[in-house]
Amino acid sequence: MSHENQNMEEIMRKIEESAQDVEVPKELEPEQIKGKLLGLKQKNHFPRRHMVEAAAAIALVAVIGGAGVFGRMIQTSNIENESVANEKQKNTVSELDQKAEKEHQKPEKKKEKVGDYHLAKSYDEIYDSVTYMEDSRFKDGVEGFVEGGALSDIYFEKEKNTTTGIVEDAVESSGTNSGSDYSKTNLQVEGVDESDFIKNDGSYLYVQESDMVSVIDIRNEKMKTVAQLKPELDLRDSIVDMYVDGNRLYLVIQKYETTMENKKDQVSSFVEEDVACTDVIYMDTKTSVMLQTYDMKDRISSKLLGSVTVDGYYHSSRKVGDYVYLFTDRYVGGLMEKDKKELIPQINGDDVSADCFYLREDAVNEFIAVSIDGNKPDQVVDRMVVMNSNVDIYMGTESICLYGYSYDSYDAYASSSTNLTKFSYKDGYMNAVAATSVKGTIEDVFAISEENGILRVLTTEWKNESENRLYLLDQNLKLLGSLDDIANGEEIYAARYLGNIAYFITYHNTDPLFAVDISDPQNPKMLGQLEVTGFSDYLHPYGENMLLGIGYETDPDTSERLGVKLTMFDISNPKKLKVMDSVVIKGDECSAASNYKCALVDVEKNLIGFDVNDYEASGSDQKYMVYSWDGNHFHKEFSKKLSCDEWGKIRGLYAGSRFYVVEAKCGGYKIRSYDMEHDFEAIDELKTY
């Protein structure tokens, strides 16, 4: 016997003698511990750090009284048959092991320069990148403030809502419907989830209001509110967006923190003697966005797993896999130099390090991007601050593209351009890739799209006469090919990229649908053009050979709107585009035409759902409508009068054979259910207010 083994046996003997009377927890029984140790022994690539942690854990087991059993387990393992051990080892690679390996995959070093942007090396460099407001402007502002009436005493009190939730009766099942026969949020990019105020998992509806989320059981005919999650909010805070993924609920909360400071001494030289003023109170509001992650496995009760807070106003967010990408904005153009340290935003109370900033000249805005792993919801995986003017976001499955606009002058007919900056992302880590600029501006969210590393961009340039263009850019935003002089004098209203074909709508007095072959990015070719009256604001594929358009019918001579219009295009032959059928519905506005999340389009269920608002009726006539398609014609299946009091807060959705209409009402929501198998017969109604 080796000297090492003798020492080990002596240690085990002494510890065992001191722990004879200690009851052993089930998880520390020999078979439980043995399997874990065998796993550590056999796993060749287990990270060294976790080997140390495992050893420390074993030592802790000995201290708390499991050592006697542990000693006997070691003796038993010495005679374990090797083939049995190998078989056991196959099942010992836990999720923790896999996560540990993932943690040790270092992100690539951030690219230092991309287009006009470069990575900051210090805070001083960040301070120097901003043009500060002059003191004279502050003086003018203070004089106006004082003359308007000085504030000598202000009391600002924050109220907190600490209600944790209400529960009606117990829910028999804590899981969601195992099937997938339910509608989901209409997305810009498949695989990139987007937030919405209503989420559906087939068994429950999750309805987000400004201060709570209602969980509604829809498994039976009678809908039932089983829980209302009310996070702790300050007086001005509000829930602005929501995600639901399995048993996880993510809430995006806009937060405000108002502070007061007496700045009489700072402005006394600006105040005229005849102004009666005892104090000059300066009120400042700091904005931040919080992402809260909840465990909703029980559905009745929720457990807060963690939260991340980021400075700024909420811009947008996306969710890909387990990762939530949160985007905020901070306007910094109005700072004075003495307040330059306020340029540095905070995440979870800590300053963002300088090497996370991408700088450019004359920046007045900070675009802040952070990623959060849902498995570690109180931590940030990566962070990035892009100093710019103002940007919109396109997020594909592999990259994030920020796009903003610039103009040669303030002349209404000056040429315009779109500045594109591309960032890659994977497992939460983001890195700059490239930047470029193209002529014109992006007029539809679906006019920009990426597939197989090729970025496709449709723009309209406003000059004496509008000009439309299609650009095809490689993975480094180098121009591969373009198509110019498309329907000059019109503008792009709607777009869709389907396979190797780009479809888009332009409009002036009539509505041409174009089809462009982009299979060869270096040589895009116009295939076909179809001209009809009116225009489509939203295009959605309806099977392989059809394209649905939602928009408006118009007078070809005056452009006056004549009603909401559905159009089904036959795109089986892009060189010979056809209209299969169209229907015009009396009404002035359709939110699905301008906001794709308001549209319900499901080919398998054969459902086309949208709302129509007719302002010419007495007051306002709102209704939700559902159409179907029989292969040749549209058919109206359902029409129900609405009383929604908030524009765009209407959704149609389904679960199984039931259809639901959700509308904002009186600060809450009204939800009505219908039986699709019996001509949309009314079933139930529920209110959250």
Side-chain angles (χ1 to χ4, degrees):
M1 181 180 294
S2 67
H3 180 69
E4 181 180 356
N5 287 339
Q6 287 178 338
N7 287 341
M8 176 62 75
E9 285 198 353
E10 179 63 20
I11 292 171
M12 290 300 105
R13 184 185 63 78
K14 290 181 179 180
I15 296 176
E16 187 174 19
E17 289 176 355
S18 66
Q20 293 294 327
D21 299 326
V22 179
E23 183 179 353
V24 181
K26 183 178 180 180
E27 61 270 21
L28 301 180
E29 290 177 353
E31 290 304 317
Q32 299 287 331
I33 300 286
K34 180 168 60 178
K36 296 178 181 179
L37 280 185
L38 287 172
L40 297 181
K41 178 180 178 181
Q42 298 292 331
K43 185 171 174 59
N44 295 326
H45 302 291
F46 196 82
R48 183 176 184 85
R49 177 171 63 87
H50 289 279
M51 286 291 288
V52 174
E53 292 173 353
I58 291 171
L60 180 59
V61 169
V63 171
I64 65 174
V69 177
F70 174 68
R72 291 194 294 272
M73 181 275 295
I74 289 291
Q75 295 170 13
T76 304
S77 68
N78 288 335
I79 60 173
E80 184 76 41
N81 184 280
E82 188 68 19
S83 62
V84 176
N86 287 334
E87 185 63 27
K88 289 178 177 291
Q89 182 268 339
K90 293 179 182 179
N91 299 318
T92 58
V93 182
S94 64
E95 291 183 6
L96 180 61
D97 299 333
Q98 295 172 355
K99 288 181 182 178
E101 289 180 344
K102 182 177 175 181
E103 288 172 6
H104 281 71
Q105 296 174 358
K106 297 288 186 181
E108 59 179 321
K109 185 178 179 181
K110 278 192 167 41
K111 193 170 183 178
E112 293 188 1
K113 184 172 177 57
V114 53
D116 294 337
Y117 293 99
H118 69 276
L119 209 58
K121 293 182 172 58
S122 67
Y123 285 141
D124 286 337
E125 190 175 6
I126 298 171
Y127 301 150
D128 292 341
S129 70
V130 174
T131 301
Y132 299 99
M133 184 173 71
E134 298 177 359
D135 286 346
S136 60
R137 293 174 61 189
F138 177 68
K139 173 182 176 180
D140 294 340
V142 169
E143 286 180 337
F145 170 72
V146 173
E147 290 172 1
L151 302 180
S152 59
D153 210 352
I154 299 177
Y155 297 93
F156 185 84
E157 186 174 307
K158 296 181 180 179
E159 297 179 2
K160 292 186 177 181
N161 187 339
T162 58
T163 305
T164 57
I166 64 171
V167 178
E168 294 185 0
D169 297 326
V171 182
E172 294 179 1
S173 172
S174 62
T176 60
N177 196 340
S178 59
S180 59
D181 189 21
Y182 59 92
S183 58
K184 300 179 181 179
T185 302
N186 194 15
L187 305 176
Q188 182 182 7
V189 178
E190 190 66 30
V192 180
D193 197 9
E194 298 181 45
S195 58
D196 202 7
F197 70 87
I198 177 78
K199 289 290 183 177
N200 173 21
D201 65 16
S203 297
Y204 298 89
L205 298 183
Y206 306 82
V207 185
Q208 168 222 314
E209 300 176 33
S210 62
D211 63 343
M212 70 176 181
V213 173
S214 297
V215 182
I216 300 167
D217 189 344
I218 58 171
R219 292 174 297 177
N220 301 308
E221 286 193 354
K222 187 73 173 176
M223 293 181 287
K224 188 176 186 179
T225 301
V226 295
Q228 288 182 322
L229 168 62
K230 293 187 175 182
E232 186 174 304
L233 303 175
D234 286 338
L235 188 62
R236 294 178 60 194
D237 298 350
S238 62
I239 306 171
V240 292
D241 261 327
M242 170 182 67
Y243 291 89
V244 173
D245 184 2
N247 294 324
R248 292 289 172 89
L249 170 71
Y250 302 86
L251 296 184
V252 181
I253 299 172
Q254 181 69 64
K255 297 185 66 64
Y256 300 88
E257 181 182 355
T258 302
T259 57
M260 295 185 301
E261 183 180 353
N262 191 338
K263 293 196 173 184
K264 180 181 178 181
D265 294 339
Q266 298 181 36
V267 301
S268 58
S269 60
F270 301 146
V271 181
E272 298 178 4
E273 294 182 0
D274 60 344
V275 175
C277 174
T278 57
D279 294 292
V280 176
I281 304 301
Y282 177 79
M283 302 183 68
D284 183 36
T285 298
K286 178 181 179 181
T287 60
S288 61
V289 178
M290 175 183 287
L291 177 72
Q292 292 187 338
T293 303
Y294 290 87
D295 182 353
M296 296 289 289
K297 183 177 181 180
D298 191 0
R299 295 304 187 277
I300 289 179
S301 59
S302 58
K303 179 182 179 182
L304 180 62
L305 299 176
S307 61
V308 167
T309 302
V310 183
D311 279 356
Y313 285 100
Y314 181 55
H315 186 123
S316 185
S317 60
R318 300 289 191 276
K319 185 177 181 299
V320 181
D322 290 334
Y323 298 90
V324 175
Y325 295 82
L326 187 63
F327 308 115
T328 70
D329 284 313
R330 292 179 79 225
Y331 178 71
V332 296
L335 286 177
M336 290 184 291
E337 189 169 4
K338 66 182 183 64
D339 300 318
K340 63 184 181 182
K341 291 185 178 180
E342 294 181 16
L343 281 170
I344 311 303
Q346 293 189 328
I347 299 175
N348 280 348
D350 296 326
D351 290 347
V352 176
S353 60
D355 59 1
C356 293
F357 282 74
Y358 279 97
L359 308 180
R360 62 180 294 185
E361 293 183 1
D362 301 325
V364 295
N365 194 72
E366 292 177 342
F367 175 85
I368 306 168
V370 301
S371 57
I372 301 99
D373 184 348
N375 297 308
K376 298 178 180 178
D378 59 346
Q379 301 176 27
V380 169
V381 177
D382 198 9
R383 67 217 71 200
M384 179 176 68
V385 181
V386 182
M387 305 287 286
N388 55 39
S389 296
N390 193 22
V391 293
D392 289 316
I393 304 167
Y394 165 78
M395 186 162 176
T397 55
E398 295 181 347
S399 67
I400 301 168
C401 191
L402 307 183
Y403 58 97
Y405 308 120
S406 60
Y407 302 88
D408 288 348
S409 70
Y410 291 103
D411 187 338
Y413 296 102
S415 60
S416 57
S417 60
T418 297
N419 303 311
L420 301 163
T421 309
K422 179 179 176 180
F423 299 85
S424 64
Y425 76 90
K426 185 177 181 180
D427 295 335
Y429 291 103
M430 299 169 284
N431 203 347
V433 175
T436 193
S437 181
V438 296
K439 291 183 179 180
T441 56
I442 297 172
E443 299 297 317
D444 179 60
V445 295
F446 290 92
I448 178 171
S449 173
E450 185 178 35
E451 186 172 336
N452 298 324
I454 306 298
L455 187 69
R456 297 83 61 94
V457 182
L458 281 158
T459 67
T460 299
E461 183 179 12
W462 300 95
K463 296 197 294 187
N464 292 332
E465 182 182 55
S466 59
E467 299 178 11
N468 302 294
R469 298 180 179 88
L470 170 65
Y471 295 94
L472 301 169
L473 309 168
D474 70 8
Q475 59 185 1
N476 294 312
L477 298 187
K478 299 296 184 183
L479 180 65
L480 293 172
S482 64
L483 194 62
D484 301 332
D485 298 324
I486 305 170
N488 290 343
E490 302 183 7
E491 62 178 294
I492 293 172
Y493 268 55
R496 275 285 181 170
Y497 299 92
L498 302 179
N500 290 322
I501 308 294
Y503 296 95
F504 52 94
I505 297 285
T506 64
Y507 178 72
H508 181 58
N509 286 332
T510 56
D511 174 8
L513 170 67
F514 293 92
V516 177
D517 182 356
I518 55 175
S519 58
D520 179 2
Q522 295 180 330
N523 188 28
K525 295 180 179 179
M526 181 70 69
L527 294 178
Q529 175 181 343
L530 174 67
E531 191 166 298
V532 296
T533 57
F535 62 91
S536 296
D537 252 337
Y538 176 62
L539 294 175
H540 195 110
Y542 207 83
E544 292 184 3
N545 296 316
M546 291 179 289
L547 188 63
L548 171 68
I550 302 178
Y552 303 94
E553 179 65 293
T554 61
D555 186 308
D557 297 321
T558 65
S559 296
E560 179 187 359
R561 286 190 186 181
L562 303 176
V564 174
K565 184 177 183 180
L566 298 182
T567 307
M568 190 67 78
F569 298 100
D570 180 353
I571 58 174
S572 57
N573 184 352
K575 294 182 180 180
K576 295 182 179 180
L577 301 169
K578 299 177 182 178
V579 171
M580 301 179 71
D581 191 25
S582 63
V583 59
V584 178
I585 303 156
K586 188 176 186 300
D588 300 293
E589 207 155 21
C590 172
S591 61
S594 56
N595 181 356
Y596 57 90
K597 292 183 184 179
C598 297
L600 172 65
V601 183
D602 193 297
V603 179
E604 292 184 4
K605 279 285 188 179
N606 197 13
L607 296 172
I608 303 168
F610 54 94
D611 66 288
V612 175
N613 202 332
D614 183 5
Y615 296 119
E616 292 184 1
S618 56
S620 177
D621 182 20
Q622 295 177 309
K623 53 182 175 286
Y624 194 89
M625 308 189 75
V626 176
Y627 277 75
S628 64
W629 176 255
D630 69 2
N632 295 294
H633 300 286
F634 291 106
H635 293 279
K636 184 171 71 173
E637 301 290 344
F638 172 78
S639 179
K640 185 67 176 180
K641 187 175 178 64
L642 301 173
S643 57
C644 180
D645 54 16
E646 189 172 351
W647 169 250
K649 288 296 185 73
I650 300 171
R651 298 289 187 272
L653 52 150
Y654 71 85
S657 62
R658 299 191 193 106
F659 192 85
Y660 301 86
V661 177
V662 182
E663 60 176 315
K665 186 68 177 175
C666 301
Y669 289 93
K670 179 192 293 184
I671 306 170
R672 287 174 284 184
S673 60
Y674 304 88
D675 187 348
M676 291 190 291
E677 293 182 347
H678 293 86
D679 297 324
F680 285 83
E681 180 182 355
I683 300 175
D684 192 22
E685 180 177 311
L686 182 145
K687 299 176 181 178
T688 66
Y689 54 91

